[in-house]
Amino acid sequence: MADHAGLRLHVPEPEVRPGGTPDFSNVVIPKAGSVRRPEVDAEPESIRDLAYSIIRVLNREGEAVGPWAGLLGDEELREGLRHMMTLRAFDARMQMAQRQGKTSFYMQHMGEEAVSSAFRKALLPGDMNFPTYRQAGLLIAGGYPLVEMMNQIYSNEADPLKGRQLPIMYASREHGFFSISGNLATQFVQAVGWAMASAIKGDSRIAAGWVGDGSTAESDFHAALVFASTYRAPVVLNIVNNQWAISTFQGIARGGSGTFAARGLGFGLPSLRVDGNDYLAVHAVARWAVERARRNLGPTLVEYVTYRVGAHSTSDDPSAYRPKEESAAWPLGDPVIRLKKHLIVRGAWSEERHKQAEAEILDTVISAQKEAERHGTLHAGGKPSARDMFEGVYAEMPPHLRRQRQQAGI
Amino acid sequence: MADHAGLRLHVPEPEVRPGGTPDFSNVVIPKAGSVRRPEVDAEPESIRDLAYSIIRVLNREGEAVGPWAGLLGDEELREGLRHMMTLRAFDARMQMAQRQGKTSFYMQHMGEEAVSSAFRKALLPGDMNFPTYRQAGLLIAGGYPLVEMMNQIYSNEADPLKGRQLPIMYASREHGFFSISGNLATQFVQAVGWAMASAIKGDSRIAAGWVGDGSTAESDFHAALVFASTYRAPVVLNIVNNQWAISTFQGIARGGSGTFAARGLGFGLPSLRVDGNDYLAVHAVARWAVERARRNLGPTLVEYVTYRVGAHSTSDDPSAYRPKEESAAWPLGDPVIRLKKHLIVRGAWSEERHKQAEAEILDTVISAQKEAERHGTLHAGGKPSARDMFEGVYAEMPPHLRRQRQQAGI
Amino acid sequence: MPRKTMIEAIRDAMDVMMGRDDDVVVFGEDVGYFGGVFRCTQGLQQKYGRSRCFDTPISELGIVGTAIGMAAYGLKPCVEVQFADYVYPAYDQIVSEAARLRYRSNGQFTCPIVIRMPTGGGIFGGQTHSQSPEALFTHVSGLKTVVPSNPHDAKGMLISAIEDPDPVIFLEPKRLYNGPFDGHHEQPVTSWAKHELGEVPDGHFTVPLGKAAIRRKGSALTVLAYGTMVHVAEAAAAETGIDAEIIDIRTLLPLDLEAIVHSVRKTGRCVIVHEATLTSGFGAELSALVQENCFYHLEAAVARVTGWDTPYPHAQEWDYFPGPQRVGRAFVETMAA
Amino acid sequence: MPRKTMIEAIRDAMDVMMGRDDDVVVFGEDVGYFGGVFRCTQGLQQKYGRSRCFDTPISELGIVGTAIGMAAYGLKPCVEVQFADYVYPAYDQIVSEAARLRYRSNGQFTCPIVIRMPTGGGIFGGQTHSQSPEALFTHVSGLKTVVPSNPHDAKGMLISAIEDPDPVIFLEPKRLYNGPFDGHHEQPVTSWAKHELGEVPDGHFTVPLGKAAIRRKGSALTVLAYGTMVHVAEAAAAETGIDAEIIDIRTLLPLDLEAIVHSVRKTGRCVIVHEATLTSGFGAELSALVQENCFYHLEAAVARVTGWDTPYPHAQEWDYFPGPQRVGRAFVETMAA
Ligand SMILES: Cc1ncc(C[n+]2csc(CCOP(=O)(O)OP(=O)(O)O)c2C)c(N)n1
Ligand SMILES: Cc1ncc(C[n+]2csc(CCOP(=O)(O)OP(=O)(O)O)c2C)c(N)n1
Ligand SMILES: [Mg+2]
Ligand SMILES: [Mg+2]
């Protein structure tokens, strides 16, 4: 052994830390429109390269270019813009509400609005998402009332989840939105199970699983890929790579693989990477993957390349672990600004209409907030009852819980 | 949705079941010597093809050919043959001992003898294996006394594990053989941890993890790959693909990926497939991977393509789920016969010497067995004490266990 | 009525339910073509097709995780974990997900799954084929935990479990699969064919969850047991001649506290028997409940006879296993106290 | 002596041990550069380098699994699980591997690891930032389980845990991180700077595992508590005026049974308090042990005050949390019995 130098542990580190100058020159970004669009029944092995590239539609000039462009009309794009703007306004208000003590906790989407908003529009009624805490765009684009979201966030008397869940851990079966778990990645394999069930029943509904870049390291991610691959489940498996997992940069979860989409290759899954800040690209790739699933061609893995602009949650302060200016340096830009620009370039939008829309949306959000607050906030006004705490543990309350409820005097 | 036929669940099935005629025509087997041997510091991405091929050295004529040949001399090869023959004789005797009621359980290696025997010879003293229950060749080729193995199998008074473990769940730190767990795959990630520790300490020792084809579906497999990839741990990660996991054919664990080695590609690991019934090929690939680890070039994933000729364990009867003749039809042949033939072709062995060796080995095994049986078998003769049951739960026996031991009257 | 082994009874329960309800699906490791390593699912794939009964990859997490997703869709998965010792990789999915789905979604998503697994020792299975992890489930609100002790109950309770709207952990004492075992390993094996609880009604019938059964009426002391230990307790009563009232708990959660309290108030003495390790075993909960509810009726301390606080050893199996002698001794001591 | 918060005390323990012993390594999610979401490892990477303190992928299984491998090599890993609610993915590695390695290898391989994790509620963390899973560890032979209630013990016991040759589950009541919390959430937060157990010796010192501490001497009844509930019990004693003897269990396993029995034999009454759900909680074991060992001394049934058998709710946090009022009521009732 004398001929070998001693071993050393390799611990990946991000390019820069606070104090340094943000540098994304290592992020290879293909030109918009340059990545091919294979047929949905293409052999996974024949499209390996898509796991190492980035599918993009909107170019720097705001034009939609290339084979993935052309799916959405003016009205749909304006609607998409409205969804993203609504999500952003909603986030801003709820962040503030948290700081005002109206709730205990909040998690925002800043920079990632396109991913969930555009994906949602590729689904049909009856399809089911198994989301993480950073896909509220699925609800907003799916028509779930803002006031219901706020009632949940406030844990107030109208909270559809009766105060049982942490703020933003929504659930709405009707809107194809599975109950969010605080435990990362657990829902990824459940999405596969839901999709398998649909296949078992000869149904046509499909499922979508969601996971963050950091959470791909969890066991459930593996189980999901194994089962999806074996049973060819009709599911779209989405990885939202927003570069960070709280304070941990994506290199710690990714290791030597280059991309997260690459994980799918070892399972024979078509694996695509897409510009997560490009509403049109997200939507186009989602449509492709959803069609594969719906046509019984099996699962698809999609990595959305984006950036978490805000703090991880209201309990986090990113200035402790990354340069403050990093988000501004992110080379894929801002999804709202990019879609806005595209609409203007298309002649379907203007600065004025944008300003007006912004004001209208803010109004809508504020009036929803007012309505929600009439039902109470976490520490004030109407609240779920202590009885609600004992209900719903089982379909029928067993004797020991009845005894305990009695003991609690409620 | 009306335009789509209903979804269907895809459930993979093996080509044949009992009653059918074995058919391995779908197993693509490259010619011996045809797969290139890259430098050990090759970029993983540049050797992707090795995850989809099979590295082979011994051709049909018994010659060692191609770039992976030439590492072992006559003496080493004869030793290798002896190890495999010893393991086979050992298995036969212990299977019989189990049927005679001398122990409760046994698991044999028939057909897979080359994998662990040849791998072991690529290691240096101090390296550590994290084996499953089907790598006793690591012990035999590592010089662990047969009688100790039998003492463990018999749970007798000389059992180095004091009767605590199921038969064949050996452990020998001194021989670089980690304690076998009954829980599949758990040790795979521990191997990565051991290797990381070696790197943390600037040591030169490396680790080897072992897992079966079926067990790659377990969570620990994923954790192992994630951590190995991220920290570039000096570890060789071995998958023994013996085509079966009890009654379940490998297609259930493998799904759409084509090979098990392919799993490593999504982690940026060099991933190789090798003819597991070819002593020379196994050894050559092991040397390659071990050198990578030792030179701090990081982890390697190796899939050994072999076939489980015997029953899963003494509790299993494979005729219920696969054709009896399937093992004979396995296209990669028998590792003992193939190495024997090669030695004869080399002029380093003969039928006579083989017969003689067979007899000698049987003698050695029988005399070890006699010695072990002097120390007792599971239901007769010397046995570990009931006191041993209470010892070793902790370094120091805590009061509650002392009380319990007293209560037990021992 | 036909006599069945516990394996046949369990298989029959799944067969009946798969026949009645298309939404019942059965899967697990080696469960499909082969019919399970204990053959509990034999023939079901052939009868109901590969998409209702199938083999899975070796991932307990995946088995339970996909079952939860299927249940959220509307199916009723009844899955097998090959040995209870291998349930831990699925523990997170069970505890964090299955158990809480109804609660956290306020009933929008529910989780009617059954997780079957063989438990207990007595088969020289060593540390990883012998465990009794019931207490790890009874601590988790949202789960129901069931341990049948005979073919009759196994069928009736498995049907109840499959029909139950919530997740049920169904623990099958593997030492009872082929016959009632009273701990006398030195004696010849007996068969369910000779036991009255080997009589199993045909077709659909249920034994309700949450109800204990009195296996032996008695007045001297109350024995609380489940699974294999019911039979051990019966042997201990016969051998000591102590007139024990033996309660087969059957459902650990929700517990039939009423039956327990009623008996202990009558006898004034209580011995709890289980095979799992002592500390924080389910016996602790039973003991606590008995003394909370029968404090003024107790004439002796509630005793526990259990597996020792060590891993389940291989060679020392019968030193570990709480056999009739050890249980009998506790009877005698409790009567003397 | 310097006063420290519990966070500072825990960090100090790791710092001392990393300084003394090169084999001590610290890792977990967000533990390296950032220093942990509760900042317990802040500065350690800077001081000891990236190969002794580092961030990990989000895989509790991987964290514990690699720690076991490192321990088998000869290191002494002290790892963090970000919240106890997230320990389940690692449960198999803990139960099947860490806990049994010494035993099954007959001492050839051992597992001196410490698994730290924040537990308990009171911070509006909802179901997945509030759990107290201690009973899931005390049922597993081969593990030691520790719950400190103050900075002094946190440092002394964490050093003991790191030096211990066996795996230790080290549970940190997060509601105590910054100050002693007695359950009066409506009152202003107090700080460790004003509490005598905020006094933490510098450098190396240990509080032995397996020894309880009497926090309040008393003669009316014995209270068994640990973690946050020690402070709640103190408040309840003060508010009811009942002369409770409050025992801080500190180490749940191995348990200081002697101290408990000694006190209960003296007072004849016992109330057990914990935050975890009731059924099969560690209180059940304590209750069973108390009545087994003090049967003839008990003047009232042993009582348990615990979290309810529901998931930990968000909005109803203070209905769930066993606060001083609920605990005090149990004191009064136990005295009246
Ligand atoms: C099983 C589990 N482990 C740890 C955590 C704590 N945690 C919450 S969010 C988070 C980071 C997740 O990062 P990523 O998956 O990238 O998602 P993102 O927050 O960036 O959207 C961690 C570690 C958790 N919730 N669950
Ligand atoms: C966690 C866990 N689940 C299930 C089992 C039961 N079991 C024992 S061996 C086996 C099959 C393993 O197959 P494979 O990994 O291919 O290894 P092989 O036996 O073929 O060498 C199974 C399912 C187990 N031991 N551990
Ligand atoms: Mg992220
Ligand atoms: Mg196999």
Side-chain angles (χ1 to χ4, degrees):
Chain A
M1 286 306 61
D3 54 337
H4 293 128
L7 297 165
R8 307 174 305 285
L9 192 73
H10 171 76
V11 181
E13 266 291 301
E15 313 269 339
V16 269
R17 287 293 196 183
T21 309
D23 177 8
F24 285 112
S25 55
N26 275 349
V27 182
V28 181
I29 299 180
K31 270 181 62 160
S34 67
V35 178
R36 71 202 165 100
R37 182 181 189 284
E39 294 300 313
V40 293
D41 58 358
E43 271 303 304
E45 191 54 19
S46 73
I47 57 169
R48 268 191 79 248
D49 51 310
L50 297 193
Y52 295 99
S53 191
I54 303 181
I55 294 166
R56 305 178 64 229
V57 169
L58 291 176
N59 68 13
R60 232 178 286 201
E61 287 67 44
E63 298 150 346
V65 295
W68 296 87
L71 293 176
L72 296 170
D74 292 351
E75 196 40 61
E76 290 162 305
L77 289 169
R78 278 192 296 258
E79 191 195 22
L81 183 64
R82 186 161 50 76
H83 291 153
M84 293 199 288
M85 290 168 72
T86 304
L87 179 51
R88 191 165 285 186
F90 185 91
D91 274 350
R93 296 296 301 182
M94 291 297 103
Q95 284 270 118
M96 206 196 301
Q98 192 275 341
R99 275 195 296 264
Q100 293 165 340
K102 293 177 181 170
T103 186
S104 58
F105 180 78
Y106 191 71
M107 297 181 94
Q108 58 166 322
H109 302 74
M110 179 74 84
E112 302 176 43
E113 291 89 346
V115 177
S116 51
S117 303
F119 186 89
R120 180 62 179 80
K121 299 307 288 182
L123 296 176
L124 291 177
D127 294 341
M128 185 62 68
N129 284 286
F130 288 74
T132 82
Y133 44 72
R134 231 185 284 282
Q135 281 96 44
L138 295 171
L139 286 173
I140 288 177
Y144 189 66
L146 300 183
V147 62
E148 292 288 320
M149 294 170 71
M150 289 167 172
N151 288 335
Q152 197 283 325
I153 289 167
Y154 288 147
S155 279
N156 64 19
E157 67 187 15
D159 173 4
L161 307 184
K162 306 267 190 196
R164 293 178 189 147
Q165 276 275 56
L166 203 63
I168 67 103
M169 301 281 171
Y170 319 104
S172 175
R173 183 178 194 103
E174 198 191 327
H175 294 82
F177 194 93
F178 187 72
S179 162
I180 298 178
S181 174
N183 297 57
L184 297 170
T186 45
Q187 79 294 344
F188 212 56
V189 62
Q190 294 163 6
V192 175
W194 196 100
M196 286 171 69
S198 188
I200 288 168
K201 298 302 281 186
D203 195 351
S204 65
R205 295 178 291 159
I206 66 140
W210 294 87
V211 81
D213 50 302
S215 306
T216 59
E218 284 288 7
S219 304
D220 315 80
F221 177 80
H222 181 63
L225 265 61
V226 169
F227 279 66
S229 174
T230 292
Y231 302 108
R232 297 188 196 155
V235 63
V236 183
L237 295 168
N238 297 308
I239 304 173
V240 182
N241 176 4
N242 63 4
Q243 313 300 318
W244 290 93
I246 309 185
S247 77
T248 305
F249 91 117
Q250 44 102 12
I252 289 285
R254 194 203 54 205
S257 71
T259 72
F260 288 94
R263 292 280 198 268
L265 300 176
F267 295 84
L269 303 189
S271 304
L272 290 75
R273 263 180 119 218
V274 56
D275 178 345
N277 291 11
D278 177 341
Y279 187 92
L280 285 82
V282 168
H283 180 77
V285 168
R287 280 265 283 266
W288 190 89
V290 166
E291 190 185 338
R292 265 184 58 78
R294 189 104 52 205
R295 281 180 47 190
N296 213 37
L297 296 164
T300 306
L301 190 69
V302 182
E303 175 185 348
Y304 302 88
V305 183
T306 179
Y307 186 90
R308 195 197 77 208
V309 172
H312 171 72
S313 73
T314 48
S315 313
D316 178 47
D317 172 12
S319 70
Y321 51 79
R322 67 183 192 191
K324 277 209 176 68
E325 319 72 32
E326 196 179 275
S327 64
W330 176 245
L332 291 174
D334 178 277
V336 174
I337 296 176
R338 284 174 71 192
L339 181 54
K340 170 189 164 198
K341 182 166 175 183
H342 173 60
L343 276 164
I344 293 176
V345 167
R346 277 174 93 100
W349 200 241
S350 67
E351 287 290 351
E352 261 148 57
R353 286 178 75 174
H354 194 77
K355 275 219 183 72
Q356 192 189 333
E358 228 160 28
E360 279 169 20
I361 285 166
L362 187 60
D363 264 6
T364 310
V365 173
I366 288 176
S367 75
Q369 190 177 5
K370 281 196 183 132
E371 189 186 333
E373 291 184 7
R374 272 198 294 277
H375 295 294
T377 59
L378 182 57
H379 300 295
K383 55 176 72 177
S385 78
R387 276 184 89 85
D388 285 329
M389 176 176 69
F390 288 103
E391 305 279 348
V393 182
Y394 300 89
E396 209 179 306
M397 191 177 294
H400 69 282
L401 274 174
R402 247 179 286 128
R403 277 196 305 275
Q404 291 180 27
R405 190 180 60 184
Q406 208 174 335
Q407 235 178 297
I410 43 187
Chain B
M1 286 302 67
D3 54 339
H4 293 127
L7 297 165
R8 306 174 305 284
L9 192 72
H10 170 76
V11 181
E13 265 293 299
E15 313 269 340
V16 270
R17 286 294 195 184
T21 309
D23 177 8
F24 286 112
S25 55
N26 276 349
V27 183
V28 180
I29 299 180
K31 268 182 62 160
S34 66
V35 178
R36 72 202 165 100
R37 183 182 187 285
E39 294 301 314
V40 295
D41 57 359
E43 272 301 307
E45 191 54 19
S46 72
I47 58 169
R48 269 191 79 247
D49 51 311
L50 297 193
Y52 295 100
S53 190
I54 303 182
I55 295 165
R56 305 178 64 229
V57 169
L58 292 176
N59 68 13
R60 233 179 284 202
E61 287 68 43
E63 297 151 346
V65 295
W68 295 87
L71 292 176
L72 296 169
D74 292 353
E75 196 38 62
E76 291 163 303
L77 289 169
R78 278 192 297 258
E79 193 197 19
L81 183 64
R82 187 162 48 74
H83 291 153
M84 293 199 288
M85 290 168 72
T86 304
L87 179 51
R88 192 165 287 188
F90 185 92
D91 273 350
R93 297 295 302 182
M94 292 296 102
Q95 285 270 119
M96 206 195 303
Q98 192 274 341
R99 275 194 296 263
Q100 291 164 342
K102 291 176 180 171
T103 186
S104 58
F105 180 77
Y106 191 71
M107 297 181 95
Q108 57 166 323
H109 303 74
M110 179 74 86
E112 302 176 41
E113 291 89 345
V115 177
S116 51
S117 304
F119 186 88
R120 181 60 179 79
K121 300 305 287 183
L123 296 177
L124 290 177
D127 293 341
M128 185 61 70
N129 284 287
F130 288 75
T132 83
Y133 44 73
R134 230 185 284 281
Q135 282 95 43
L138 295 171
L139 285 172
I140 288 177
Y144 189 67
L146 301 183
V147 63
E148 293 289 319
M149 293 170 71
M150 289 166 172
N151 288 335
Q152 197 281 325
I153 290 166
Y154 287 148
S155 279
N156 66 20
E157 67 188 15
D159 173 4
L161 306 184
K162 306 270 190 191
R164 292 177 191 149
Q165 275 276 55
L166 204 63
I168 68 103
M169 301 280 171
Y170 319 105
S172 176
R173 183 179 194 101
E174 197 190 327
H175 295 81
F177 193 95
F178 187 74
S179 163
I180 298 178
S181 173
N183 296 57
L184 295 170
T186 45
Q187 78 294 343
F188 213 56
V189 62
Q190 294 163 6
V192 175
W194 197 100
M196 287 171 68
S198 189
I200 288 168
K201 298 300 282 184
D203 195 351
S204 65
R205 296 178 290 159
I206 65 139
W210 294 87
V211 81
D213 49 302
S215 307
T216 58
E218 284 288 6
S219 305
D220 315 80
F221 177 80
H222 181 64
L225 266 62
V226 169
F227 279 65
S229 174
T230 292
Y231 302 109
R232 297 189 196 153
V235 63
V236 183
L237 294 168
N238 296 307
I239 303 172
V240 183
N241 176 5
N242 63 5
Q243 313 299 318
W244 290 93
I246 310 184
S247 77
T248 305
F249 91 117
Q250 45 104 13
I252 290 284
R254 195 202 55 206
S257 71
T259 73
F260 288 95
R263 291 280 198 268
L265 299 176
F267 296 84
L269 303 189
S271 304
L272 291 74
R273 264 178 119 219
V274 56
D275 178 346
N277 290 11
D278 177 339
Y279 187 94
L280 286 83
V282 169
H283 180 79
V285 169
R287 280 266 282 266
W288 190 90
V290 166
E291 191 186 337
R292 266 184 57 79
R294 190 103 56 205
R295 283 179 47 191
N296 214 37
L297 295 165
T300 306
L301 189 69
V302 183
E303 174 184 350
Y304 302 88
V305 183
T306 180
Y307 185 89
R308 194 196 78 210
V309 173
H312 170 72
S313 73
T314 48
S315 313
D316 177 47
D317 173 11
S319 70
Y321 51 80
R322 67 185 192 189
K324 276 209 175 67
E325 319 72 34
E326 195 179 275
S327 65
W330 176 244
L332 291 173
D334 177 277
V336 174
I337 295 176
R338 283 174 71 193
L339 181 54
K340 171 189 163 197
K341 183 166 173 183
H342 173 60
L343 275 163
I344 292 176
V345 167
R346 275 175 93 99
W349 199 241
S350 68
E351 286 291 352
E352 261 147 56
R353 287 177 74 175
H354 194 78
K355 277 221 180 69
Q356 195 189 331
E358 226 159 32
E360 279 169 21
I361 285 166
L362 186 60
D363 265 6
T364 310
V365 172
I366 288 176
S367 74
Q369 189 177 6
K370 281 195 180 132
E371 191 187 331
E373 292 185 4
R374 273 199 294 279
H375 295 294
T377 58
L378 181 58
H379 300 294
K383 55 177 71 174
S385 78
R387 276 184 88 85
D388 285 329
M389 176 175 67
F390 288 103
E391 305 278 348
V393 182
Y394 301 88
E396 211 181 305
M397 191 178 293
H400 69 282
L401 274 174
R402 249 181 283 129
R403 277 196 304 276
Q404 291 181 26
R405 190 179 62 184
Q406 207 175 334
Q407 233 179 300
I410 42 184
Chain C
M1 253 186 300
R3 305 256 172 160
K4 284 190 162 61
T5 67
M6 205 142 149
I7 290 170
E8 290 161 346
I10 287 164
R11 186 190 301 145
D12 191 25
M14 288 185 274
D15 192 356
V16 166
M17 288 309 295
M18 291 180 88
R20 284 166 68 98
D21 185 349
D22 272 357
D23 289 337
V24 176
V25 291
V26 167
F27 53 97
E29 295 157 20
D30 301 297
V31 153
Y33 183 87
F34 182 56
V37 295
F38 289 103
R39 323 315 307 276
C40 289
T41 57
Q42 200 180 7
L44 298 179
Q45 179 175 83
Q46 222 176 342
K47 191 161 170 187
Y48 298 102
R50 266 196 271 153
S51 61
R52 292 193 53 210
C53 178
F54 51 86
D55 289 328
T56 63
I58 304 175
S59 166
E60 292 75 13
L61 189 169
I63 293 167
V64 175
T66 53
I68 294 169
M70 290 182 199
Y73 174 94
L75 301 189
K76 288 171 163 292
C78 175
V79 302
E80 177 174 303
V81 169
Q82 203 162 82
F83 285 86
D85 317 59
Y86 304 140
V87 73
Y88 307 118
Y91 197 62
D92 186 37
Q93 285 284 342
I94 296 172
V95 171
S96 309
E97 302 297 319
R100 295 203 221 117
L101 188 53
R102 173 188 296 282
Y103 191 77
R104 72 175 203 231
S105 71
N106 192 24
Q108 292 182 80
F109 298 95
T110 60
C111 196
I113 68 177
V114 179
I115 308 178
R116 294 177 41 243
M117 53 191 118
T119 58
I123 61 153
F124 279 99
Q127 330 196 357
T128 54
H129 305 86
S130 306
Q131 295 166 40
S132 298
E134 63 273 8
L136 304 175
F137 300 111
T138 53
H139 190 41
V140 180
S141 47
L143 301 179
K144 297 183 177 179
T145 300
V146 171
V147 189
S149 70
N150 59 72
H152 175 273
D153 287 359
K155 177 171 174 185
M157 295 177 84
L158 183 50
I159 291 180
S160 290
I162 295 173
E163 291 178 341
D164 197 274
D166 288 305
V168 179
I169 307 295
F170 195 86
L171 304 171
E172 303 170 0
K174 68 179 86 69
R175 183 62 218 228
L176 298 180
Y177 270 155
N178 290 306
F181 177 66
D182 65 7
H184 281 295
H185 55 95
E186 68 289 354
Q187 291 173 10
V189 173
T190 56
S191 124
W192 283 116
K194 301 206 185 94
H195 197 287
E196 61 169 346
L197 290 168
E199 284 194 6
V200 180
D202 279 331
H204 183 272
F205 93 101
T206 59
V207 172
L209 307 189
K211 287 272 162 261
I214 296 180
R215 291 297 169 212
R216 185 189 189 285
K217 285 231 160 261
S219 57
L221 58 76
T222 301
V223 182
L224 305 180
Y226 46 89
T228 313
M229 291 302 132
V230 171
H231 305 275
V232 172
E234 283 174 344
E239 287 158 32
T240 56
I242 289 171
D243 186 25
E245 177 142 304
I246 300 175
I247 299 187
D248 182 350
I249 300 287
R250 300 202 294 196
T251 305
L252 277 52
L253 199 85
L255 184 70
D256 188 351
L257 186 60
E258 214 179 296
I260 294 169
V261 169
H262 185 261
S263 175
V264 177
R265 287 196 177 158
K266 179 179 77 178
T267 63
R269 292 167 205 269
C270 180
V271 174
I272 296 160
V273 194
H274 62 61
E275 202 179 336
T277 52
L278 177 75
T279 300
S280 285
F282 190 64
E285 180 61 34
L286 289 173
S287 175
L289 285 172
V290 166
Q291 75 92 39
E292 283 163 14
N293 288 279
C294 312
F295 186 72
Y296 297 105
H297 297 79
L298 281 176
E299 289 167 44
V302 180
R304 291 182 286 169
V305 189
T306 71
W308 308 115
D309 281 346
T310 73
Y312 212 113
H314 177 250
Q316 300 91 339
E317 170 135 85
W318 302 120
D319 299 305
Y320 185 92
F321 189 93
Q325 232 192 327
R326 196 134 67 83
V327 174
R329 204 169 62 213
F331 289 4
V332 171
E333 282 166 13
T334 300
M335 290 312 297
Chain D
M1 250 187 303
R3 305 256 170 158
K4 284 190 161 64
T5 67
M6 206 143 151
I7 290 170
E8 290 161 346
I10 286 164
R11 186 191 300 147
D12 191 24
M14 287 185 275
D15 191 357
V16 167
M17 289 309 296
M18 290 180 88
R20 285 167 67 98
D21 185 349
D22 272 356
D23 289 338
V24 176
V25 291
V26 168
F27 54 97
E29 295 157 19
D30 301 297
V31 153
Y33 184 87
F34 181 56
V37 294
F38 289 103
R39 323 314 310 273
C40 288
T41 57
Q42 200 180 8
L44 298 179
Q45 178 175 83
Q46 221 174 345
K47 189 160 172 189
Y48 298 103
R50 264 196 272 154
S51 61
R52 291 193 54 210
C53 178
F54 51 87
D55 289 329
T56 63
I58 304 175
S59 165
E60 293 74 15
L61 189 169
I63 293 168
V64 175
T66 54
I68 293 169
M70 291 182 198
Y73 175 95
L75 300 189
K76 288 172 165 293
C78 176
V79 302
E80 177 174 305
V81 169
Q82 203 161 83
F83 285 86
D85 316 60
Y86 305 140
V87 73
Y88 308 117
Y91 197 62
D92 187 37
Q93 285 285 342
I94 296 171
V95 171
S96 309
E97 302 296 318
R100 294 204 220 117
L101 188 53
R102 173 188 297 279
Y103 190 76
R104 71 174 204 230
S105 71
N106 193 24
Q108 294 182 80
F109 298 95
T110 60
C111 196
I113 68 176
V114 179
I115 308 177
R116 294 176 42 242
M117 53 191 118
T119 58
I123 60 152
F124 278 100
Q127 331 197 355
T128 55
H129 305 86
S130 307
Q131 295 167 40
S132 298
E134 62 273 8
L136 304 175
F137 300 110
T138 54
H139 190 41
V140 180
S141 47
L143 301 178
K144 297 183 177 176
T145 300
V146 171
V147 190
S149 71
N150 58 74
H152 176 272
D153 287 0
K155 177 172 175 185
M157 296 179 84
L158 183 50
I159 291 180
S160 290
I162 294 173
E163 291 178 338
D164 197 275
D166 289 304
V168 179
I169 307 295
F170 195 86
L171 305 172
E172 304 170 359
K174 69 179 84 69
R175 183 61 218 227
L176 298 180
Y177 270 153
N178 290 306
F181 177 67
D182 64 6
H184 280 296
H185 56 94
E186 68 289 357
Q187 290 173 11
V189 173
T190 57
S191 124
W192 283 116
K194 301 205 186 97
H195 196 287
E196 61 169 346
L197 289 168
E199 284 194 7
V200 180
D202 279 331
H204 183 271
F205 94 100
T206 59
V207 172
L209 307 188
K211 287 275 162 258
I214 297 181
R215 292 295 168 215
R216 183 186 192 287
K217 285 229 160 263
S219 58
L221 57 76
T222 300
V223 182
L224 305 180
Y226 45 89
T228 311
M229 291 302 131
V230 172
H231 304 275
V232 172
E234 284 175 343
E239 289 157 32
T240 57
I242 288 172
D243 187 24
E245 177 143 305
I246 300 176
I247 300 188
D248 181 350
I249 300 289
R250 299 203 291 197
T251 306
L252 277 51
L253 199 85
L255 184 70
D256 189 350
L257 185 59
E258 217 178 293
I260 294 169
V261 169
H262 184 262
S263 175
V264 177
R265 287 196 180 159
K266 182 179 77 179
T267 62
R269 292 167 205 270
C270 180
V271 174
I272 297 161
V273 195
H274 62 61
E275 201 179 336
T277 51
L278 176 75
T279 300
S280 284
F282 191 64
E285 180 61 33
L286 289 173
S287 175
L289 285 172
V290 165
Q291 74 92 39
E292 284 162 15
N293 288 279
C294 311
F295 186 72
Y296 297 106
H297 296 79
L298 281 175
E299 288 167 46
V302 180
R304 292 183 284 171
V305 188
T306 71
W308 308 115
D309 281 347
T310 73
Y312 213 113
H314 177 251
Q316 301 90 340
E317 172 136 82
W318 302 119
D319 299 304
Y320 184 91
F321 189 92
Q325 230 193 329
R326 196 132 67 84
V327 174
R329 203 168 63 211
F331 289 3
V332 172
E333 282 167 11
T334 300
M335 290 313 296

